[in-house]
Amino acid sequence: MDPEAAFLTSMKDMSGDEEEYTPQDVVTPDQVESGTAEVDNPVQDIKETSIAARSDALDLADPAIPSPATVPPLATSSQPTHDRPSSADDPARSTSLTEAQRDEQSSLQSPVITASQSTASKPRAIGGFVIDDEDDEGGLAPQAGLHGLLTAATSNTASRSMTRSPVPTTPLRNVMLPNDSKASTNGAEAATTDVSSVVPLLSVSATTSNEVSAPSALSMADPPPVTAAEAATTTSRPEVPIKAIPRARLPHDRVGILEDKIKEDPRGDIEAWLSLISEHRKRNKLEDARSVYERFFKTFPSAAEQWVAYANMELAENDFYRLEQIFSRTLLTIPSVQLWSLYLDYVRRRNNLTTDAQGTARTIVSQAYDFVLQNIGIDKDSGRIWQDYVLFIRSGPGSIGGSNWQDQQKMDLLRKTYQRAICIPTSAVNHLWKEYDAFEMGLNKITGRKFLQEKSPGYMTARSSNTELENITRGLIRTTLPKLPPALGFDGDDEYNVQVELWRRWIQWEKNDPLVLKDEDLTAYKSRIVYVYKQAVMALRFWPDIWYEASEFCYENGLEKDGNDFISQGMAANPESCLLAFKRADRLEASSAIDEGEEASKVRGATVRGPYDKVLDALYGLIAQAKKKEAKDISRLEESTALSNANDGTSDQVDDDDDEEREAEKASRENALRAQMKAVQDGTGAQIRTLSRTISFAWIALMRAMRRIQGKGKVGESIGGSRQIFTDARKRGRLTSDVYVASALIEYHCYKDPAATKIFERGMKLFPEDEDFALQYLKHLIAINDITNARAVFETTVNKLAQRPEKLAKAKPIYAFFHDYEAQYGELSQVTKLEKRMSDLFPEDGPLARFSHRYTSQGFDPTAVRPIISPATQMRPRSFRLIENTTNNASTPPYVPSIRDTNSPKRTAPADDSDNESSRPRKYVRGDSPLKGAAGRRLDQQKRTQQANQGPGSSLAQAMQNEWEAQPPPPPPPPPSLPREVLFLLSIIPNAYAYGTATRFKREEILRLLRETNIPSRLPPSQARPPPLGPPGGQQYAGIFP
C-alpha cells in the first residue's frame, strides 16, 4: 500500500477520536433490570453498620486516625464510642467480629458489598438515574441531571467509589480499621481496630471481582441493591443525585486540612505550605517538617527564604550534615544574599579563629569570603558582606603600615578589596570610599593621592549608579516566594504587572551599561545582566516571558549554557507554557546536526518532539483537573440540595397542611441548583475551550516541526513525519478545526497531495457549524478550481447556520467572501441573487454598500471617489469663525483701593461700601517675614501696644479686615487674543482633509516660521488691516488648527 493510501486509511479508522461536546445517554430502568448498566442503591437511613475491610486500601496517614499498631483489634458496634464496652466485657461483640470476618470471606466470591440494615427504619430512596460520569470522549462538561446514580459492582468490573452522606437524623457511626497487614485470614486481612473518636461516614471504596478493597478511613457500606420496580418508582420524584465528594475533615485535624489545600492547589496556596511546616515544627515533628520541606522545594526550588528557614532548623538541631547538604544543593543555583550570608556564618562558626594557631581556620574563612563575593559580590545589597570582609582582613595577623612581608601582604589584600568594593553600586559604597581614603592617606599621602585619583572615576560612577538604581527599584519587592500571576482584570493584576515592569526597568538599566563595562570588561557586563535575570526569575517564577527574555539574551551574547538553563528551569516552573516549549524546541531544531539517513532523522525528530510532548501533557492535565473540579463542585451542590430535600421529607411525616408551600420551596431549590450547576459548567466549558485551542495550536506547531525534519512521513513507521503527528493528535482528542486546516494546507502547499481535500471533508463532518473552517475550506476549493464543490459547501454551510437565529451572524463572513468571489469571477445573475439573499438576512447593510463592494479591491473603492472639477469652487479654504470679545477692558475703571487705617502694617482693608467682588485685589500667599529674631520681637511688641491703646474700636477694624480676607479672589482675566496677522495666516492654511490634493506644508518649516517671525505688538493705523474673513468687531480666534 502506498503512503497516501495508508494515511487515508488511518484517517477513516479514527472516526470517533474527535470529541463532540454532547451529553451522554441517561441510564434507563430497562438497562438496570437487564444488568447492562451500573446502578447503585439509594441513600438509606441506616442506624447500624458493620464493615470488614482490608488494611492495604486504608489511608493510615490521616492524623485523625490512630495507628493500627497502637489500637487493639475491636469489632464495630452502633453504640457510641464514649460509652461502648470493651470486647472482653461484651461477648456479643466477638460474635459480631466473627460475622464480619465471614462476610468479608464471602465477599471475595461476590462483587457486591452488602451492609446490615436497622429494622427500625425503612430505607428511603433519594433519586432515580443519571448519566454515567465516565467521559470516554472527554467532553466539555458532563450535563448532570437531577437524579442520583448510586453504583453497584458487577462481575469483572470495578465499581467506582461514590460518596454518601446520611441525613441529619442519622446517628454517627464508628469505623473499623484493619489491623497489622501481617495478620490475614485466607489471603484477606480480617483483623480490625476501632477508632477512638466518632466520625461521620461519607465514602465507599471501589471493589473488583477478585478481591474486596477496604473503605477509606471514613466509609459506609452499600445498602441492598435496588430492583427495577423500585427504580421505576423513584424516577417519578425529581430528586438530586448524591455524587462522590471528598470526605470532611474534623475541625481539629489541622494537618489534614492543610494537606487537602496543598493537594488541591500546590502552586497557588503558599500559605498552606508554610502553615503546614509551622504546624509540624510546633509539634516537634521534625521528620514530618523535613518531608514537607522537600515536597515544597520540588514546587518552589528557588525559595531562598524557606531554604534559610530549613537550614536554621537543622542548625538549631546541630545537624551539620543535613545543613551542609542544603548548602551544596542551593548555593550555586540560588544567588541570594541572605542564603550566602548564612553560609558565611556557618563557616565562621565551624572555624574558630581564636584557637587557630596554625592559621588553617583563617585560610578557610578567607576562601569562603572569596567564594561568596565571587558569586554575589555584585548584588546591590552585598554592601554588608564587603564591610565584613574588610573587617576580617583588618583583624588578621600583621599591622597596617608595617615593613615585613606579612604587613605588606595584608596591606595589598586590603587595598585590592577596597578597590573592588568601591566600583560596585551598593548601599555601602560611600562608607567604603571613606575608609579607603583614610587607609591610603594613612600609609603615604603621595602614593595615596595617586591611588585615589585612579579609582575616583570608578567610585563616582558607582555612587551615581547606586542612586539611580535606588530610584529605579523603589517599590520593587525582591521576594523569592513567587506567586501565580492573577488573571487579567482580577484582584492583584495591576500590582503584579507593576512588579514585572520594575524588574524589566532594572534589567534595561543594566543593559544600558551605566557602569561603563561593555568596552572595558565585557564579561563583567554580561555577568551583571545575567545576575539580575536570575534575581528576576526567582521573584517571577511563574511568568514565562521573563524566562524567555533571559534565555534570548544569553543566546544572543554567546552564553549557550546559561540560555539552556533558563529555558529548562522555566519549563519546569511553567510546564503548560507554550512560549517556553516552542522556544526550547526551536533551539533544539536549530542546534541539532542535520545528518542524512533515516536513523539520524528519527533521533532528531524525537529530540525536537520532547518539549512539545511535555507541554501537551501539562495542558491535557489541566483539562482533567478542570473536569475533576467541576464534578466536585456539582457534587457539593447536589449534596446540599439533597440534604435540604431530606429535611423536607422528614417534616412531611409531621405536618401535611403546607404541602403546596413545601413543594414550591423544593421546586425553588431545584431551580437554584440548575442555575448553579449551569454556571459551574459554563465556567468550566469556557476554560476547557481555551485549553483545547491551545492544545490544537501546540499540535500544529509540532506538526510543522516534524514536517521540516521528517517530511510528511508514513503513519506507523519510524519516520512518521507530519502525518503521524496528525494521527496522534486525533487519538488524544480535544482538537479544534484549526488542526484539520493546518494539516490539509500542509498537504496541499508542500506536496500538492489530494489528501488535503479528504482532510477538509472529514473536518466538515466534525465541525459543520464552524464558520472559520468552512471559510478555509471554500478558499481551498477555489484554489484548486473546484467551483462546483465550493458552491455546494457554501450552500450547505450557510443554510445550516441560517436555521438558527443565534448563529446567523457566523454566516456573514462566508457570504462576504463568496460575494467577493462571485463579483470577480461569477455571472451577474449569480451576484444579483446572492445580494438579494444577503439583503434578506442582513438588512442592516444598505444596498449601496453591497453594490460598491462588488468593485472594491485592496481597500480602494472607485465608487466613492469624487473628482475635482473646479478647483476654484471646490477647493476654497475653509473660513475660521471668530468669537466676539465681549469683555471690554476699556469700559471698566481701574481699581484703586482706598487708604484707611488698619491694624496691619503691611496692607490696607477695602472700603466698607465696596460690594464689587471683581474690583477686589487678588490674594497672594506671602512668604515668611524677614524680620526674625530681635527685630521681629520688637515689631510684635509695638503691634501689641498699639492694639491695647486703640481700645474696643480696633476690634471692628479687625473684623472688617477678616471679612475682606475671607472673600474669594476675583476671576482671572481673559486670555489675550491672537494677533490679526496670525489669524490671517491660519485662515489661508488649508484643512487636513485637503492635504491629499492641495499643496503640502512641512510642519517643521511652519513651526520655524512662526517661531522666528518677528510680529510687532502694535502696527501704525495706516498699516493695520482687518482680517480678511469673519465678521468685524472685537473678535478672538476660536478655530482649530488642523
Side-chain angles (χ1 to χ4, degrees), residues 751-771:
Y751 308 109
K752 301 298 180 182
D753 198 294
T757 305
K758 300 294 183 181
I759 295 174
F760 270 118
E761 291 175 358
R762 174 61 181 161
M764 200 62 195
K765 296 178 181 179
L766 295 172
F767 310 99
E769 297 182 355
D770 192 330
E771 72 279 10

Side-chain angles (χ1 to χ4, degrees), residues 810-830:
K810 293 184 176 182
K812 192 169 184 179
I814 302 177
Y815 271 107
F817 170 77
F818 210 71
H819 176 265
D820 189 22
Y821 171 77
E822 292 287 3
Q824 295 180 32
Y825 312 109
E827 299 294 334
L828 182 60
S829 59
Q830 297 289 342

Side-chain angles (χ1 to χ4, degrees), residues 46-119:
I46 302 174
K47 296 295 183 178
E48 296 178 351
T49 303
S50 183
I51 303 175
R54 295 180 59 220
S55 62
D56 55 352
L58 262 183
D59 184 11
L60 297 179
D62 192 342
I65 303 174
S67 174
T70 59
V71 182
L74 297 176
T76 301
S77 174
S78 60
Q79 186 176 354
T81 303
H82 56 81
D83 58 354
R84 186 172 56 199
S86 63
S87 60
D89 300 332
D90 191 358
R93 298 189 62 193
S94 60
T95 304
S96 176
L97 176 62
T98 305
E99 293 175 356
Q101 294 174 349
R102 289 199 302 269
D103 291 341
E104 180 182 2
Q105 294 174 3
S106 62
S107 64
L108 293 176
Q109 285 90 28
S110 175
V112 181
I113 301 178
T114 60
S116 60
Q117 302 183 28
S118 174
T119 57

Side-chain angles (χ1 to χ4, degrees), residues 990-1002:
N991 207 336
Y993 74 89
Y995 284 174
T997 57
T999 303
R1000 294 180 178 270
F1001 290 88
K1002 295 183 178 179

